[in-house]
Amino acid sequence: NILRRVVKIGQTTNRWPVAIIADTVLYTSSDPDPVAAWPGGAEWLGRSLGKYKPEGSARLDTQLQYLTGEPYKGKDAILHRVRGSE
């Protein structure tokens, strides 16, 4: 289901994720607000089953070290940044 949603978003908006790990989809954006940056439309955001919830936002330069073609391991850095700012 995640891949179907990613393909639909990509075909509709021409925005494709730079990484996918389990249930996390990582998109780039110049907008630091993860809700505003989400390319999938507001109807797909939420906490109910089948919806996506923003987990955080980080500058691309802080994530480049994790975008190597190997399995993506930058989620903890994003979550740590979000939790540290609360």
Side-chain angles (χ1 to χ4, degrees):
N1 286 336
I2 290 172
L3 290 178
R4 274 188 266 222
R5 176 66 37 212
V6 164
V7 169
K8 177 123 176 126
I9 291 168
Q11 291 172 337
T12 304
T13 67
N14 202 30
R15 296 218 20 229
W16 299 90
V18 295
I20 299 173
I21 181 169
D23 61 352
T24 298
V25 182
L26 181 70
Y27 286 94
T28 60
S29 173
S30 59
D31 192 325
D33 177 4
V35 173
W38 166 247
E43 70 274 13
W44 290 104
L45 286 176
R47 297 224 173 252
S48 59
L49 189 62
K51 302 245 177 163
Y52 297 86
K53 66 177 177 145
E55 292 190 83
S57 178
R59 291 180 46 91
L60 180 58
D61 60 353
T62 67
Q63 290 292 299
L64 287 176
Q65 63 185 317
Y66 305 111
L67 300 174
T68 63
E70 299 295 320
Y72 174 70
K73 295 181 180 168
K75 181 177 176 177
D76 287 341
I78 292 173
L79 295 178
H80 175 71
R81 181 180 171 276
V82 170
R83 288 184 188 127
S85 66
E86 292 177 348

